[in-house]
Amino acid sequence: MGFRIEGGAVARLVIDRAAKRNALTRAMWAALPGLLADLASDDEVKVLLVTGDGASFSAGADIRELISGADPADPMDELRASNLQAQAALREFPKPTIAVVRGHCIGGGLEIAVNCDFRFAARDASFGVTPARIGVVYPPAAIKVLLDLVGPATTKYLLFSGELLTADRAELKGLVDRVEDDPMAAAEAFADTLVSRSQLTIRSAKESVNALLAGEDADAAAVRRYRETIASGELAEGIEAFTQKRSPKFVWHPL
């Protein structure tokens, strides 16, 4: 399948094709939505770390597959559809996601990373998206994710040039949230913090951010979540813990 799952409250989704620098095949893109659906339905999982096996996060799509489709007029049709569905599934994953990046994070690898909520990078990491190097027309849905994250100038820089950014430059551009000597340890510590917070608050916040980025109305869903925090006792527990100067014991989980 090309992925490995490691469960727990802080689960891991590992791109598991180190011999090919974790290059992503069409079968891997097609499998990703189902894997994410299983993780989303697992109540034990609170945070998902996404990383690559070995020295690289992912060097991108498996180039041999780019024009291997059955339709000579559009040989990328099936690959493009699977790719965009996988990106959407990761973007809409209801729990916090952190991409933990070492080495190359290029093309399809960058698509996975930017559709996570956060990106923690090693100092040797490099980032780029390279359609201009091979003549690929990049889909608008994937461009919008970059645009929302880093703005038009950096989006154009990456897409026009195909050049790679170092981790430090990527952090300056807003493409990376943290650059660390040990990004996995830093991501695990941050994930533990997220696990200790109200999962209802986090879920509602992510829903609202996604809706606002999509130009949709976020108010109705937020009102439902507000009523839920009252009915479930989540807010009452948070306030009581604060006044008693103790750690809260949040118990909310989705129905």
Side-chain angles (χ1 to χ4, degrees):
M1 182 183 295
F3 294 101
R4 184 173 77 249
I5 303 293
E6 299 172 4
V10 180
R12 294 191 193 187
L13 173 66
V14 182
I15 308 170
D16 191 12
R17 203 174 175 229
K20 297 292 184 180
R21 292 194 300 161
N22 297 320
L24 295 145
T25 65
R26 185 173 70 82
M28 291 169 68
W29 288 117
L32 194 52
L35 292 174
L36 292 169
D38 289 343
L39 287 162
S41 65
D42 185 343
D43 282 347
E44 184 183 8
V45 175
K46 301 296 189 294
V47 180
L48 179 63
L49 307 184
V50 182
T51 194
D53 187 45
S56 288
F57 183 80
S58 172
D62 191 324
I63 297 296
R64 294 170 301 179
E65 289 194 343
L66 287 183
I67 53 173
S68 63
D71 182 357
D74 188 1
M76 292 182 63
D77 177 46
E78 292 182 6
L79 175 62
R80 183 172 59 251
S82 295
N83 168 274
L84 291 175
Q85 288 166 7
Q87 289 191 59
L90 185 53
R91 189 165 58 249
E92 294 162 9
F93 188 75
K95 306 170 186 183
T97 53
I98 307 171
V100 183
V101 179
R102 297 180 303 274
H104 288 104
C105 181
I106 301 170
L110 186 67
E111 289 172 345
I112 287 180
V114 298
N115 280 287
C116 290
D117 297 313
F118 308 101
R119 285 146 296 283
F120 284 34
R123 299 193 185 280
D124 70 345
S126 57
F127 300 83
V129 56
T130 55
R133 293 189 180 190
I134 55 176
V136 169
V137 173
Y138 209 61
I143 291 175
K144 186 178 185 304
V145 176
L146 274 176
L147 196 61
D148 289 338
L149 184 62
V150 298
T154 299
T155 297
K156 290 175 184 177
Y157 182 92
L158 290 166
L159 288 170
F160 292 6
S161 71
E163 292 185 359
L164 303 186
L165 300 180
T166 64
D168 287 339
R169 286 191 66 200
E171 186 178 29
L172 287 172
K173 298 289 188 181
L175 190 62
V176 165
D177 297 288
R178 287 171 59 175
V179 177
E180 302 281 350
D181 293 327
D182 187 343
M184 182 58 74
E188 288 175 338
F190 182 58
D192 287 341
T193 296
L194 298 183
V195 169
S196 74
R197 305 307 194 217
S198 167
Q199 300 305 301
L200 175 54
T201 297
I202 290 172
R203 181 71 58 92
S204 178
K206 184 163 184 176
E207 290 170 349
S208 291
V209 169
N210 284 350
L212 292 167
L213 286 173
E216 299 170 354
D217 176 33
D219 287 341
V223 167
R224 287 195 298 272
R225 290 301 190 192
Y226 169 74
R227 291 172 178 160
E228 193 172 359
T229 199
I230 301 297
S232 67
E234 191 86 343
L235 178 59
E237 166 59 18
I239 292 172
E240 184 176 347
F242 180 81
T243 58
Q244 294 177 356
K245 295 181 172 57
R246 62 171 174 82
S247 298
K249 298 177 181 178
F250 293 120
V251 297
W252 177 87
H253 60 84
L255 299 176

